[in-house]
Amino acid sequence: MAELLTILGITFPIFAMVAIGYASVTKGVFRPQDMSILGGWVMNFALPALVFGAIASRPISEVVHFDYITVYLFSGLLTAGLMFLWFSIATDPGRRGVVMMISYCPNTGFIGYPMFLMLVPDHAGIILAMNFLVENIIFVPLALMAIEAGKPREDRKGNALQQLGQVLRNLIKRPLIIAIILGFVISALGLSLPGPVHKLIDLVAGSASAVALFVIGGSLVGLSFEGNLRLAGQAAVGKLIVMPLCTALVIFLVARFGVTLDPDMRTAVLISAALPTMAIAALFAQEVGRGALASLSILINTLAAFITLNIVLFLVV
């Protein structure tokens, strides 16, 4: 009973903040469109400041954990491969890429970071940065290529290499990626940030956790239950159950080759795998006419994660 209360003590503040965001929009304190503004603050200012400060304030040897990156990368690729195969059977190519993305791209920025902050506070910023690198350089481009491959041939934007090039060009313009690159440069050069600059970064970064969770809750208002419930549910199972199992398998397999994660990193990678899907997946899905399917699956993901995350925490903490 004591262990259960400890676990709920970790997840309750997270989902309570989500509920506050939902209630605030439902009761008219904020408008649904306000969530995009608050979300823009988180993605373009708060999270970039957070990852920049976390990287720039540490020696480069403490920033990059190749064992963690290896496990996270191969866990995602294994999940993506399995779900691609499954959805090649279960649905048509037009939907396959969308539900594949939903099944292995986690919401690291809006839900993951608050979890890391409570579970592994000393490593939260670094874990966030490593996750963002893997997700933005590998996971998301791979999913976008799968979505593009599902379009009729005449609607595709060039070949696979041209699609990848376009994705990567857009990628390097994102504030998060720019912040990570600048942080690595300062860390590698051994430079120190001036005190006032460090305080400003901490001030901006401090808003990330609460505002991100608030936005997740507010963004749930108006999501429709219209769409393919069976397919949306399968994508949620992929994200909340299959990916954590794949991650546990990868941890076991790499240990056979002498790669062992320390307890904090092991906890973080399993939590990362168990997070609900990233909300931005709905935007990509809308571009190919699958917005309702993605929104439904994101809703199922977020609600069911309260149960699945508690189970994962009970097993790993």
Side-chain angles (χ1 to χ4, degrees), residues 59-275:
I60 193 68
S61 60
E62 296 180 11
V63 171
V64 180
H65 297 260
F66 287 107
D67 50 355
Y68 178 92
I69 292 174
T70 299
V71 170
Y72 189 49
L73 172 61
F74 282 101
S75 300
L77 293 178
L78 177 58
T79 307
L82 291 173
M83 300 313 294
F84 183 86
L85 291 174
W86 170 255
F87 289 124
S88 293
I89 300 170
T91 189
D92 60 87
R95 293 183 176 88
R96 180 181 59 200
V98 171
V99 286
M100 171 188 156
M101 169 180 267
I102 292 169
S103 67
Y104 83 105
C105 291
N107 199 335
T108 296
F110 285 79
I111 297 182
Y113 175 68
M115 294 289 295
F116 304 149
L117 198 61
M118 299 192 72
L119 290 166
V120 286
D122 293 340
H123 305 292
I126 295 303
I127 291 166
L128 182 69
M130 291 191 292
N131 281 14
F132 275 143
L133 279 175
V134 173
E135 291 160 14
N136 285 280
I137 294 176
I138 306 295
F139 290 1
V140 172
L142 181 64
L144 292 178
M145 290 175 68
I147 291 173
E148 190 70 19
K151 294 179 179 179
R153 188 174 297 273
E154 61 272 15
D155 293 336
R156 296 178 190 175
K157 301 174 182 177
N159 58 38
L161 286 178
Q162 290 172 327
Q163 295 165 21
L164 179 60
Q166 183 60 46
V167 170
L168 293 177
R169 283 193 293 272
N170 292 335
L171 174 68
I172 61 175
K173 300 176 185 178
R174 295 183 180 181
L176 270 170
I177 300 302
I178 295 171
I180 290 172
I181 293 171
L182 290 177
F184 273 119
V185 169
I186 290 178
S187 177
L189 294 175
L191 302 176
S192 298
L193 297 175
V197 174
H198 200 285
K199 289 181 180 178
L200 173 62
I201 291 171
D202 286 346
L203 182 65
V204 176
S207 66
S209 182
V211 178
L213 293 170
F214 187 91
V215 168
I216 287 294
S219 299
L220 293 177
V221 178
L223 288 186
S224 174
F225 275 102
E226 296 178 0
N228 191 322
L229 181 59
R230 177 184 59 84
L231 199 57
Q234 290 175 4
V237 168
K239 183 67 211 66
L240 300 177
I241 297 176
V242 176
M243 190 170 180
L245 291 175
C246 287
T247 303
L249 176 61
V250 171
I251 291 173
F252 173 78
L253 292 176
V254 299
R256 305 304 94 185
F257 295 92
V259 179
T260 305
L261 297 177
D262 71 49
D264 281 352
M265 291 295 168
R266 185 173 63 249
T267 297
V269 78
L270 286 167
I271 292 301
S272 297
L275 294 170

Side-chain angles (χ1 to χ4, degrees), residues 16-35 38 210-211 213-221:
M17 196 67 213
V18 171
I20 291 171
Y22 181 86
S24 295
V25 174
T26 301
K27 297 300 182 182
V29 178
F30 285 88
R31 299 169 300 169
Q33 54 266 40
D34 293 337
M35 296 302 103
L38 293 174
V211 178
L213 293 170
F214 187 91
V215 168
I216 287 294
S219 299
L220 293 177
V221 178

